[in-house]
Amino acid sequence: MISALVCLVALGQKAPAVDYSVPLGASSQFHETVNLVKSKLTAKDFAGAASLAKLLPQSVISYRFNFAKVPKDLIESYKQSTSFAVASWQKSLDGKATLVEAKGGVPNILISFEPVLQKTPDTNEVPGVAIFYGASSAEPRVEAVIGLKRTAQLTETTSAEVFNEAVYGIGSYLGLAPSPVPGSVMGRVNGKMVGLNLVSKEEGFVAEANLKLAKALRVAALAKTVVKPTKPQLAVSDKVLQFKSAFQGDTVYEFVTVTNKGDAPLKMRAFGDCSCISGDVIPTLQPGESAALKGRYRTSELTGDVEHNVVLVSNDPDQPTQKFAAKIHVEPRAEVIYPASDTLVLDGDSRKTTFYIHSAEPIEWSILAAQLVPLDSKVHYEPFEGEVSNWKDGGKVKRVKGYKVVADFSTLKDEQVFGRIMMTVYIALSNPNLKLVRAPIFIQRGIVAQPERIYLGAPTGPTDSNFTLSRPGKPFKILSTSCDSKFVSVKVTSSKQDAEYTIQAKYDGKAPEHRLDTQIRITTDDPKQPLILIPLATAQS
Amino acid sequence: MKWILPLAGLALFGFGVAGHQEKPVYVIVTGGARGNLAPCGCTKPMTGGLKRMANMVRELKTRYNAAWIDAGDITNTPGRQSELKLEAYAQVMGELGVDAFAITPSERSLGEGMILSMKSLAKGIPLDPAERDSVDIRGLTVGIEIPGLPHARADIVLSTNPSPHEPGVVTVFPSGGAAVARESQVSPGEALRGLVLLRFQGGRLVESRAISLEPRVADDPQASKAFNSYLSRVRSERLAEKVFRTDQGRFAGSDSCTKCHPVAAKVHLKSAHAHAMATLKAVKHDTDPDCISCHSVGFDAKGGYSPIQPKKFAEVGCESCHGASADHAAKPKQFKLQKVGEKKCLTCHTTRTSPAFIFSKNWAKIKH
């Protein structure tokens, strides 16, 4: 390094200026300590600066776990979790810092356990961890106290949760700010955590940048360099991105203004909490500068009132993350409204089903043609304006302006309908922005099993398969279930309003060569279908 | 050992080299079959298929101790054949030990009963937006994105949307082409022509590699049994007899054309078109509705080919291209036929079924 500097001086070039700005993603505690060190350097109190700089993350980090209050039967699994937490960070730091277990003295990080932590006054929930920052050499810089019970229901803390809290504690020492992204180390939550929060790439970068700044400040204190304390300050014009109403499929933009009112560069990154929304912002704003934080909604998969968030992460120590509610109302270009159901049960004379095409968009359109595929059937349509109930919206009445469409299956022969068939009504419309609407309709003849044949694959032992027996909108009762094979037992496991039953076929694994070609017998209270036979087989060769 | 060449390529990209830091986690990503369990097989070379996919999955699992996730999108249109395909695919997932699999709208469109059957056969953990949207596999969280809702927070997100998620999150989406592995956006491609192998280290994606299931990848014996069982079921359920037929006019049969068009008939008899059904029989797909339509006359039309009368309208005949011609045969001057061109050929000779098809070259073989 020194020889490189000598070379630069010899060539008449300046050494690159040291960047003392706080990185994006750093915590307020880290930022505050950095500014305290800088204040000492400004005041030329270099010994004081060196002393304070010891509070910043070191390249050799000592840690200790205190399991004194952990029940004996949990110690082993908790030890594994905490060791894994250390190893996880060690890998992510990739040699930039080393975690070493403290044999004696005061460690940089102490992780201990308490039976239950105090409820948080604002939410009244029992947190999973409490972080304490020490400011003297007599105490650890970070003490993470993990509760043995957590949540309002006082559930026992699992080993996965211990891992998550331990990596969070280490992350806090490394100066990382809490994150709004669940699943990341700093995105821990007080509720139940099922998965392991592994160190993300971003978190690894922030830790590395914090370590680099800490080292630069220690060098500055030793070299007696004057560094001014500065900090960026984020100001926003609004906390809500209120988008104008859009039609489904539109891509729409909205923005708020962000300003750096501080005296250090403001570093930012924006992202959406769903792939339907994204955020875009200039990455660095100099003091006094303003820019737009732009949100973009892609509405192809959205309808109705939608609210997601654009998240802005900045290096403003007082507000490291800001959530902007992104609100929009998306109108479907054309809506298919089924008054009763999207399934037609062919039964006697009941061979027609009606639905409505409604466009909320104030444009002129009419139906040019309509066709039902794949079966031969007729479609009738006529302009309609009035109120209809919307089955998909729980039967709510909706004002409709558009067309009434009747799919007529009168000419359909019963033998053409196998099981449950999906038909599609293709409707060609006159407006170039609204060319085609597809309306799916399911038809079935009476009570239908799905799958219509039970397939067990190529079993090597006991196995089971589940299937449904249904007749939407027309309840029926199952009176008995059985199977012709003694190796298969059959039972009803659930029912939805007596119109759809889930049935389990359980093979005991004892059939010769595991070959089965049999049938399930189900009796019902329907006089037209008193006995339903459902074939059951293993793989055929 | 046919797979050795594709896998040898992986070593060049670091796969197989564990590195000096920590144990890597390998994840195989499959999906996007969209009803194509087997390549058409009509012409060579053909890529992909369930049997090759299974062989490659088995090898990667053995070689790298890889986890396996399937991104779904297994079928295309609802129908009984799609149901059988779904069960065959699920059977292979179960037999080879898939860790997790997605339930996507294409599976959902087959109905709740089929989802139950799929779950029973596949045995891995279903990522079903209705029940469970994420799962931890070897320290990695795999989630499924639900259209219109925030996706599950995960290291790997199975999505129908190729837009990138937050930094560090691997997005898996079905694509309309070959498998891709582009930074953190990966796709196993379409029609089982490829899969993707991911390598994670310390929870981060460090490498991704698209693997093409080329002809040199051998068929997996166990998956072959499952596929043959699927074909048997298609045959025993007589699906080819149950296709929906529309009114497309009356068919006359190629023999009727011979009287007035002897030269054209001679060209036809010498062409592969005249033996198209025999080709299907040789590979046991002659009762497979997926295949018959391009190997017969009027399979989807009333009065066209039917397996009940397998000799009538079998093979690709005059009316396969020129349309139902009984009226023309009876009154040729009154009912003239439309001329057909390249566009008509491309309805069967697609890039998937006939990758080597070049109109100018192939037309020369049947010019009449």
Side-chain angles (χ1 to χ4, degrees), chain A residues 3 38 51 61 72 110 147 235 295 328 353 375 392 430 435 468 493 532 540:
Chain A
S3 60
K38 285 180 182 174
S51 174
I61 304 162
K72 278 181 185 170
L110 174 64
I328 190 167
T353 186
L375 294 181
K392 280 194 172 169
S430 60
K435 287 180 178 171
T468 59
T493 54
I532 296 170
Q540 301 172 17

PDB file of all heavy atoms in Angstrom, chain A residues 3 38 51 61 72 110 147 235 295 328 353 375 392 430 435 468 493 532 540:
ATOM      1  N   SER A   3       3.987   1.580  -0.875  1.00  0.00           N
ATOM      2  CA  SER A   3       4.718   1.715  -2.138  1.00  0.00           C
ATOM      3  C   SER A   3       3.803   2.240  -3.244  1.00  0.00           C
ATOM      4  O   SER A   3       4.234   3.032  -4.083  1.00  0.00           O
ATOM      5  CB  SER A   3       5.352   0.391  -2.542  1.00  0.00           C
ATOM      6  OG  SER A   3       4.336  -0.575  -2.688  1.00  0.00           O
ATOM      7  N   LYS A  38     -16.019  11.622  14.340  1.00  0.00           N
ATOM      8  CA  LYS A  38     -15.674  12.759  13.468  1.00  0.00           C
ATOM      9  C   LYS A  38     -15.597  14.066  14.270  1.00  0.00           C
ATOM     10  O   LYS A  38     -14.746  14.921  14.021  1.00  0.00           O
ATOM     11  CB  LYS A  38     -16.710  12.893  12.352  1.00  0.00           C
ATOM     12  CG  LYS A  38     -16.584  11.842  11.249  1.00  0.00           C
ATOM     13  CD  LYS A  38     -17.663  12.077  10.192  1.00  0.00           C
ATOM     14  CE  LYS A  38     -17.621  11.041   9.091  1.00  0.00           C
ATOM     15  NZ  LYS A  38     -18.751  11.206   8.155  1.00  0.00           N
ATOM     16  N   SER A  51     -10.332   6.383  20.920  1.00  0.00           N
ATOM     17  CA  SER A  51     -11.043   5.642  21.956  1.00  0.00           C
ATOM     18  C   SER A  51     -12.482   5.333  21.517  1.00  0.00           C
ATOM     19  O   SER A  51     -12.965   4.214  21.656  1.00  0.00           O
ATOM     20  CB  SER A  51     -11.032   6.462  23.253  1.00  0.00           C
ATOM     21  OG  SER A  51     -11.824   5.833  24.215  1.00  0.00           O
ATOM     22  N   ILE A  61     -13.503  -9.693  15.773  1.00  0.00           N
ATOM     23  CA  ILE A  61     -14.692  -9.478  16.616  1.00  0.00           C
ATOM     24  C   ILE A  61     -14.798 -10.622  17.620  1.00  0.00           C
ATOM     25  O   ILE A  61     -14.891 -11.790  17.225  1.00  0.00           O
ATOM     26  CB  ILE A  61     -15.962  -9.431  15.750  1.00  0.00           C
ATOM     27  CG1 ILE A  61     -15.835  -8.342  14.673  1.00  0.00           C
ATOM     28  CG2 ILE A  61     -17.208  -9.216  16.600  1.00  0.00           C
ATOM     29  CD1 ILE A  61     -16.823  -8.507  13.517  1.00  0.00           C
ATOM     30  N   LYS A  72     -31.824 -27.182  30.191  1.00  0.00           N
ATOM     31  CA  LYS A  72     -30.795 -28.134  29.747  1.00  0.00           C
ATOM     32  C   LYS A  72     -31.145 -28.835  28.438  1.00  0.00           C
ATOM     33  O   LYS A  72     -30.290 -29.058  27.583  1.00  0.00           O
ATOM     34  CB  LYS A  72     -30.574 -29.193  30.847  1.00  0.00           C
ATOM     35  CG  LYS A  72     -29.646 -28.703  31.941  1.00  0.00           C
ATOM     36  CD  LYS A  72     -29.436 -29.788  32.973  1.00  0.00           C
ATOM     37  CE  LYS A  72     -28.597 -29.235  34.125  1.00  0.00           C
ATOM     38  NZ  LYS A  72     -28.571 -30.155  35.254  1.00  0.00           N
ATOM     39  N   LEU A 110     -22.113  -9.961  23.072  1.00  0.00           N
ATOM     40  CA  LEU A 110     -22.555 -10.960  24.053  1.00  0.00           C
ATOM     41  C   LEU A 110     -23.993 -11.339  23.697  1.00  0.00           C
ATOM     42  O   LEU A 110     -24.848 -10.456  23.533  1.00  0.00           O
ATOM     43  CB  LEU A 110     -22.503 -10.391  25.477  1.00  0.00           C
ATOM     44  CG  LEU A 110     -23.083 -11.302  26.567  1.00  0.00           C
ATOM     45  CD1 LEU A 110     -22.269 -12.593  26.711  1.00  0.00           C
ATOM     46  CD2 LEU A 110     -23.139 -10.569  27.911  1.00  0.00           C
ATOM     47  N   GLY A 147     -35.246 -13.902  24.092  1.00  0.00           N
ATOM     48  CA  GLY A 147     -36.265 -14.452  24.985  1.00  0.00           C
ATOM     49  C   GLY A 147     -36.484 -15.941  24.709  1.00  0.00           C
ATOM     50  O   GLY A 147     -36.506 -16.353  23.555  1.00  0.00           O
ATOM     51  N   ALA A 235     -35.699  14.277   3.131  1.00  0.00           N
ATOM     52  CA  ALA A 235     -37.018  14.906   3.277  1.00  0.00           C
ATOM     53  C   ALA A 235     -37.859  14.497   2.074  1.00  0.00           C
ATOM     54  O   ALA A 235     -37.360  14.456   0.951  1.00  0.00           O
ATOM     55  CB  ALA A 235     -36.873  16.421   3.318  1.00  0.00           C
ATOM     56  N   GLY A 295     -42.405   5.745  -8.880  1.00  0.00           N
ATOM     57  CA  GLY A 295     -42.994   4.412  -8.735  1.00  0.00           C
ATOM     58  C   GLY A 295     -43.633   3.998 -10.043  1.00  0.00           C
ATOM     59  O   GLY A 295     -44.193   4.842 -10.758  1.00  0.00           O
ATOM     60  N   ILE A 328     -53.535   2.380  -5.963  1.00  0.00           N
ATOM     61  CA  ILE A 328     -54.082   2.503  -7.324  1.00  0.00           C
ATOM     62  C   ILE A 328     -55.402   1.741  -7.414  1.00  0.00           C
ATOM     63  O   ILE A 328     -55.607   0.749  -6.696  1.00  0.00           O
ATOM     64  CB  ILE A 328     -53.068   1.959  -8.371  1.00  0.00           C
ATOM     65  CG1 ILE A 328     -53.529   2.301  -9.784  1.00  0.00           C
ATOM     66  CG2 ILE A 328     -52.852   0.467  -8.226  1.00  0.00           C
ATOM     67  CD1 ILE A 328     -52.470   2.083 -10.841  1.00  0.00           C
ATOM     68  N   THR A 353     -76.636 -21.580 -19.633  1.00  0.00           N
ATOM     69  CA  THR A 353     -76.064 -20.769 -18.560  1.00  0.00           C
ATOM     70  C   THR A 353     -75.870 -19.342 -19.082  1.00  0.00           C
ATOM     71  O   THR A 353     -75.573 -19.138 -20.260  1.00  0.00           O
ATOM     72  CB  THR A 353     -74.742 -21.370 -18.031  1.00  0.00           C
ATOM     73  OG1 THR A 353     -74.303 -20.621 -16.911  1.00  0.00           O
ATOM     74  CG2 THR A 353     -73.638 -21.381 -19.076  1.00  0.00           C
ATOM     75  N   LEU A 375     -66.776 -27.755 -27.895  1.00  0.00           N
ATOM     76  CA  LEU A 375     -67.956 -28.530 -28.279  1.00  0.00           C
ATOM     77  C   LEU A 375     -68.941 -27.708 -29.095  1.00  0.00           C
ATOM     78  O   LEU A 375     -69.013 -26.495 -28.959  1.00  0.00           O
ATOM     79  CB  LEU A 375     -68.674 -29.048 -27.020  1.00  0.00           C
ATOM     80  CG  LEU A 375     -67.906 -30.060 -26.182  1.00  0.00           C
ATOM     81  CD1 LEU A 375     -68.755 -30.492 -25.003  1.00  0.00           C
ATOM     82  CD2 LEU A 375     -67.528 -31.264 -27.000  1.00  0.00           C
ATOM     83  N   LYS A 392     -68.699 -14.307  -8.283  1.00  0.00           N
ATOM     84  CA  LYS A 392     -67.295 -14.273  -7.860  1.00  0.00           C
ATOM     85  C   LYS A 392     -67.065 -13.274  -6.737  1.00  0.00           C
ATOM     86  O   LYS A 392     -66.044 -13.311  -6.069  1.00  0.00           O
ATOM     87  CB  LYS A 392     -66.396 -13.920  -9.055  1.00  0.00           C
ATOM     88  CG  LYS A 392     -66.136 -15.108  -9.956  1.00  0.00           C
ATOM     89  CD  LYS A 392     -65.007 -14.847 -10.905  1.00  0.00           C
ATOM     90  CE  LYS A 392     -64.663 -16.128 -11.651  1.00  0.00           C
ATOM     91  NZ  LYS A 392     -63.763 -15.894 -12.769  1.00  0.00           N
ATOM     92  N   SER A 430     -65.738  -4.983 -30.942  1.00  0.00           N
ATOM     93  CA  SER A 430     -65.474  -4.052 -32.038  1.00  0.00           C
ATOM     94  C   SER A 430     -64.381  -3.032 -31.735  1.00  0.00           C
ATOM     95  O   SER A 430     -63.837  -2.426 -32.636  1.00  0.00           O
ATOM     96  CB  SER A 430     -66.771  -3.302 -32.368  1.00  0.00           C
ATOM     97  OG  SER A 430     -67.189  -2.587 -31.215  1.00  0.00           O
ATOM     98  N   LYS A 435     -60.416  -6.165 -27.950  1.00  0.00           N
ATOM     99  CA  LYS A 435     -60.698  -6.984 -29.136  1.00  0.00           C
ATOM    100  C   LYS A 435     -61.354  -8.315 -28.806  1.00  0.00           C
ATOM    101  O   LYS A 435     -62.187  -8.802 -29.549  1.00  0.00           O
ATOM    102  CB  LYS A 435     -59.393  -7.258 -29.882  1.00  0.00           C
ATOM    103  CG  LYS A 435     -58.847  -6.071 -30.619  1.00  0.00           C
ATOM    104  CD  LYS A 435     -57.564  -6.464 -31.323  1.00  0.00           C
ATOM    105  CE  LYS A 435     -57.014  -5.305 -32.119  1.00  0.00           C
ATOM    106  NZ  LYS A 435     -55.679  -5.596 -32.624  1.00  0.00           N
ATOM    107  N   THR A 468     -61.816 -35.839  -5.657  1.00  0.00           N
ATOM    108  CA  THR A 468     -63.038 -35.128  -5.277  1.00  0.00           C
ATOM    109  C   THR A 468     -64.248 -35.755  -5.966  1.00  0.00           C
ATOM    110  O   THR A 468     -64.129 -36.340  -7.040  1.00  0.00           O
ATOM    111  CB  THR A 468     -62.985 -33.635  -5.661  1.00  0.00           C
ATOM    112  OG1 THR A 468     -62.801 -33.531  -7.069  1.00  0.00           O
ATOM    113  CG2 THR A 468     -61.878 -32.904  -4.951  1.00  0.00           C
ATOM    114  N   THR A 493     -62.897 -37.487   3.616  1.00  0.00           N
ATOM    115  CA  THR A 493     -62.085 -36.700   4.560  1.00  0.00           C
ATOM    116  C   THR A 493     -62.626 -35.289   4.782  1.00  0.00           C
ATOM    117  O   THR A 493     -62.366 -34.691   5.811  1.00  0.00           O
ATOM    118  CB  THR A 493     -60.619 -36.611   4.093  1.00  0.00           C
ATOM    119  OG1 THR A 493     -60.595 -36.103   2.756  1.00  0.00           O
ATOM    120  CG2 THR A 493     -59.948 -37.974   4.124  1.00  0.00           C
ATOM    121  N   ILE A 532     -71.769 -44.797  -7.742  1.00  0.00           N
ATOM    122  CA  ILE A 532     -70.738 -44.224  -8.618  1.00  0.00           C
ATOM    123  C   ILE A 532     -69.518 -45.130  -8.536  1.00  0.00           C
ATOM    124  O   ILE A 532     -69.017 -45.421  -7.442  1.00  0.00           O
ATOM    125  CB  ILE A 532     -70.399 -42.775  -8.198  1.00  0.00           C
ATOM    126  CG1 ILE A 532     -71.644 -41.902  -8.394  1.00  0.00           C
ATOM    127  CG2 ILE A 532     -69.225 -42.240  -9.005  1.00  0.00           C
ATOM    128  CD1 ILE A 532     -71.532 -40.531  -7.800  1.00  0.00           C
ATOM    129  N   GLN A 540     -49.614 -48.943 -15.586  1.00  0.00           N
ATOM    130  CA  GLN A 540     -49.799 -50.004 -16.572  1.00  0.00           C
ATOM    131  C   GLN A 540     -48.520 -50.160 -17.378  1.00  0.00           C
ATOM    132  O   GLN A 540     -47.768 -49.202 -17.528  1.00  0.00           O
ATOM    133  CB  GLN A 540     -50.947 -49.622 -17.520  1.00  0.00           C
ATOM    134  CG  GLN A 540     -52.253 -49.411 -16.794  1.00  0.00           C
ATOM    135  CD  GLN A 540     -53.335 -48.858 -17.714  1.00  0.00           C
ATOM    136  OE1 GLN A 540     -53.217 -48.920 -18.926  1.00  0.00           O
ATOM    137  NE2 GLN A 540     -54.373 -48.302 -17.124  1.00  0.00           N
TER     138      GLN A 540
END
